[in-house]
Amino acid sequence: MEYAMLPPGQHRLPPLPYAYEALEPVIRAQTLRIHHDKHHKAYVDGLNAAEIAMVEERRRNDNQFITLIIKTTDKSISNPGGN
């Protein structure tokens, strides 16, 4: 599968490829809604925020501060961004 590069902060929560009820009775629709619509969305939002913060710091061109930001946002990007 090939993926296109997105501009920083432009990631979107993908829709589920099936209905929320499709996994019942193993996983309740309500549980799947919470996981997808809340938890997964929080990862996407966190990735977008971390990418935007890095772009803004690079634009400021403060090399010492950029190094600090990269170190602290590395986990912010790698965790929700999938390493």
Side-chain angles (χ1 to χ4, degrees), residues 3-69:
Y3 295 98
M5 292 294 294
L6 294 174
Q10 297 298 309
H11 300 280
R12 300 287 175 248
L13 179 67
L16 285 177
Y18 45 82
Y20 288 105
E21 299 81 19
L23 302 178
E24 289 185 343
V26 177
I27 299 175
R28 294 183 342 177
Q30 179 184 8
T31 301
L32 191 54
R33 281 186 192 280
I34 291 169
H35 176 76
H36 179 263
D37 298 350
K38 305 272 186 208
H39 296 300
H40 190 171
K41 185 176 183 313
Y43 278 111
V44 173
D45 292 346
L47 174 60
N48 285 331
E51 285 182 341
I52 290 169
M54 285 182 65
V55 167
E56 289 173 0
E57 292 309 318
R58 286 182 177 144
R59 192 174 294 140
R60 288 189 185 117
N61 201 23
D62 181 352
N63 292 331
Q64 186 176 17
F65 196 62
I66 289 171
T67 302
L68 176 63
I69 291 298

